[in-house]
Amino acid sequence: MQELSKELECFLEQSGMKPSALARAIGASASLISQIKSASYKGDVALWSKKIRDFIANHKDKQNEKPKKEQLFRSRDFSMATFVMSEAVNEKEIALIFGEAGTGKTTIINEFIKTRPQSILIEATCHTSVGVMLDELLNALKIEANSNNASKLKAIARFLKTNGKILIVDEAEYLPLKALEDLRRIADFARVPLILVGTEILYKNLMGKNKELKQFYSRICG
C-alpha cells in the first residue's frame, strides 16, 4: 500500500490531475482515492492498485506517443457507431459511443466529422470543469457571454437553436456530473444532436452513483 500511495501521489503531482478527476476516470469515489493516497485504505487493494496503475500507464503512453497516420479499418464497430451517430443527428437526440481505450473511437469521430462540417468537437481532459467546458463551447462557436456559467449555458443554447450544429464530446468520461447535465440541458433547449464518446466509465457515469442522471441516461439512443 505504501508503494502504491507514493506512486499515486507522484503521478498526481506530475500530471496536475485532481484526485476527483482520477476517481471519475476509473469509476472510484474521491474518498477511496484519498484513502489510497494516505495509505489508509482497507478494501480491495489489489483491484484498485491494478486500476490505478493501468490508468497511470495509459496516461503516460498518451503523453509520450508520437502523432501517426491512422489506417481506417471499416469494421462492424465502425459501421454501427456511424449508424448510431447518424440516427442521433437525424432525430436530434443523444448518442453514446463507448469502448476500451485504443479501440479507434477518435478515428471514427474524425471520419464522421469529415462529411459534417457543422460538427462542433470538444475534447474533455482531467482538468475539464463545467466552466472550462462551457468556455470551450463558446470559443468553438465564436460567441461571447457573461462570466457566470448560467449565462454561458443560455448563450450557447440560444445560438445553437438557430444554427443546426452537432455537438460531439470526446473523452467524455472526464466530465463531472454537472457538466453532463448541462450538456443535456443545452441539447434539450436547442434541439441539437449530442454525441458523447468515451470509455465504459462514461457509460457508468451517465447513471450517476445516486441515479442523478437517470433522466439523461433514459434519453440515449445508442
Side-chain angles (χ1 to χ4, degrees):
M1 175 58 76
Q2 291 290 343
E3 185 178 348
L4 177 62
S5 174
K6 290 179 181 178
E7 287 180 37
L8 176 58
E9 187 170 3
C10 181
F11 170 73
L12 292 174
E13 182 178 346
Q14 292 179 352
S15 67
M17 183 180 294
K18 294 181 179 179
S20 58
L22 172 61
R24 285 196 303 273
I26 65 172
S29 66
S31 62
L32 184 147
I33 297 299
S34 178
Q35 290 173 40
I36 291 177
K37 187 179 177 184
S38 62
S40 61
Y41 180 64
K42 303 298 182 183
D44 193 339
V45 176
L47 172 66
W48 293 107
S49 174
K50 184 179 187 309
K51 285 181 178 289
I52 289 171
R53 284 175 170 144
D54 284 350
F55 180 86
I56 291 174
N58 288 334
H59 185 275
K60 288 181 178 178
D61 286 344
K62 284 185 178 180
Q63 297 298 312
N64 296 329
E65 69 180 3
K66 297 179 180 179
K68 61 181 180 180
K69 185 177 181 180
E70 295 187 73
Q71 182 177 3
L72 180 64
F73 174 60
R74 294 181 181 275
S75 64
R76 183 175 180 275
D77 288 343
F78 175 90
S79 300
M80 180 58 71
T82 302
F83 172 77
V84 169
M85 291 188 287
S86 297
E87 282 296 291
V89 171
N90 293 337
E91 301 298 327
K92 296 184 178 179
E93 279 292 350
I94 300 169
L96 170 63
I97 306 296
F98 72 96
E100 294 181 3
T103 54
K105 298 184 298 296
T106 299
T107 303
I108 292 172
I109 296 170
N110 291 334
E111 288 297 307
F112 184 80
I113 290 173
K114 285 180 182 179
T115 58
R116 293 166 179 82
Q118 74 272 36
S119 299
I120 300 297
L121 171 65
I122 63 172
E123 297 180 55
T125 73
C126 57
H127 304 292
T128 304
S129 62
V130 176
V132 169
M133 179 193 74
L134 294 174
D135 284 339
E136 288 194 20
L137 283 172
L138 287 170
N139 290 334
L141 297 171
K142 296 180 173 57
I143 58 176
E144 297 182 354
N146 293 333
S147 58
N148 65 82
N149 288 343
S151 295
K152 293 175 183 178
L153 187 149
K154 290 178 182 178
I156 291 167
R158 281 196 301 267
F159 179 85
L160 289 174
K161 195 170 186 178
T162 58
N163 284 274
K165 301 292 186 180
I166 303 169
L167 291 185
I168 304 176
V169 183
D170 196 10
E171 306 283 358
E173 68 272 15
Y174 285 116
L175 294 178
L177 298 185
K178 183 63 172 63
L180 289 169
E181 177 60 21
D182 278 359
L183 283 172
R184 183 193 65 80
R185 293 173 62 196
I186 290 171
D188 281 350
F189 181 85
R191 288 289 295 144
V192 295
L194 169 63
I195 299 170
L196 301 174
V197 185
T199 65
E200 64 276 5
I201 298 300
L202 170 62
Y203 178 78
K204 296 176 182 178
N205 289 348
L206 284 170
M207 275 298 288
K209 292 177 183 176
N210 299 307
K211 310 293 186 185
E212 300 97 328
L213 298 181
K214 186 175 181 180
Q215 182 181 3
F216 193 170
Y217 182 84
S218 67
R219 291 276 313 284
I220 296 171
C221 68

